[in-house]
Amino acid sequence: MQNEGFVSDKFTIDELLRRSWNHRNSREFARFFDFIARFDHYSRFNTMLVYIQNAGVTFFGGTSYWKKKFNRTIRRDARPYIILAPKGPVMLVYDIFETDGKLSPAEFLEKGLGSKPDRIFGTIDVGLLSSMIQKAGEWGVRVITKQLSYFNGGYVTTAIRGNPEIYLKEGASNEENLSVLIHELAHLMLGHLGQIELKRTEKGKPYRIEGRKLSRSAEELEAETISFLLCKKLGLETRSAEYIAGYITHENDLLQFSYEQVIKTADRIETAFFRPMAFQAS
């Protein structure tokens, strides 16, 4: 017989997934993708060229594009990026954050999107994030803060030094970075990065994580659900339903989702990476 905690969490997850599916068909979701589509004016190859020059670029366009379409001007000290021109060798483009207009770049994006994409309601203890980062280090997971693009809250990788590294956004709030840190730890602990052995600095055997092969949609569903569960327990309200909606194209996308793995991993992260008494009794 399953314990009450498992059943309770399963009902909570069911509600989150229902909200995500409903949100996908909402006016707000359509507005988001309509806004994004307005910037789909360069080839994937040119987008790759800009990304190689600066992975933090958000939206980019040439001088005439920004002026004619959005009445925005390029700043005098703006950094240009080189792409291939349609009828010539090359042309220069500029990121939205290198432009000026009636609205600031952030206000311009938020107005188009309807709200800030990583906005979180609620507050946490000022020492909770740093304590969690320290705990991650003890488990052999390096956490680094760096400049990231407007839509990139963070990511996890093992490609750089062979050991897990999680990158958080410089300038983001503690609450936003905590939510992202949980999400990326979830990817790691759920086996989405493949088989990994965490070499803890404290005494004890290394912790082996078995790899699991899932679709990208299923991986994001699982990781964000864990972030949602733990943030909710901390009193933080995230935009998990909207985030997940972007990965659900059909109800079949939910078939690979594992309730058991999600709930067990959420418990594991809570036990291993949060200091005692971080959560209030519910």
Side-chain angles (χ1 to χ4, degrees), residues 61-72:
T63 302
S64 61
Y65 173 81
W66 284 118
K67 182 63 178 177
K68 291 178 181 179
K69 191 153 187 174
F70 300 107
N71 195 28
R72 301 187 68 83

Side-chain angles (χ1 to χ4, degrees), residues 172-223:
S173 70
N174 285 341
E175 291 76 19
E176 290 165 352
N177 274 334
L178 181 75
S179 172
V180 172
L181 181 54
I182 296 172
H183 179 101
E184 303 307 332
L185 278 172
H187 276 308
L188 179 67
M189 304 295 282
L190 284 163
H192 295 167
L193 277 70
Q195 182 173 302
I196 293 174
E197 195 172 79
L198 297 182
K199 300 176 180 178
R200 290 175 284 183
T201 57
E202 60 188 34
K203 291 182 179 180
K205 296 180 179 179
Y207 183 82
R208 176 172 291 183
I209 300 169
E210 297 298 330
R212 297 168 61 230
K213 288 188 177 295
L214 291 85
S215 68
R216 174 77 188 283
S217 297
E219 289 180 351
E220 292 303 323
L221 287 171
E222 289 189 346

